[in-house]
Amino acid sequence: MEVMCLRLRRIAKMAGVEENDIDRLLVNPPEKIEIEVKYKIAVTVMELRFWLKDCESPI
């Protein structure tokens, strides 16, 4: 899976989590994922959206 041409592996590396953690977050209900993992992924994704917002296509 790619998000804005970024592979999950890259996002996982930036967040300091395993690629498997991102897969688990996308498949399972949020209650089944450790809070630290969810926090790291959320912070990284929000930071990426901030820096790449000019690249997003309008809705």
Side-chain angles (χ1 to χ4, degrees):
M1 178 177 183
E2 291 188 20
V3 180
M4 294 186 70
C5 299
L6 292 171
R7 296 186 189 275
L8 289 183
R9 180 176 49 221
R10 175 66 59 197
I11 296 171
K13 194 172 270 197
M14 292 175 74
V17 298
E18 298 293 325
E19 190 174 345
N20 185 21
D21 291 329
I22 296 176
D23 288 333
R24 289 186 318 131
L25 182 65
L26 295 173
V27 174
N28 292 309
E31 300 84 27
K32 292 188 174 187
I33 309 299
E34 298 82 14
I35 190 73
E36 295 86 8
V37 171
K38 289 190 288 189
Y39 177 80
K40 288 178 179 180
I41 294 170
V43 168
T44 302
V45 170
M46 287 188 295
E47 184 177 357
L48 285 169
R49 288 211 59 206
F50 174 78
W51 292 113
L52 300 174
K53 63 185 171 192
D54 294 332
C55 298
E56 290 182 356
S57 59
I59 295 177

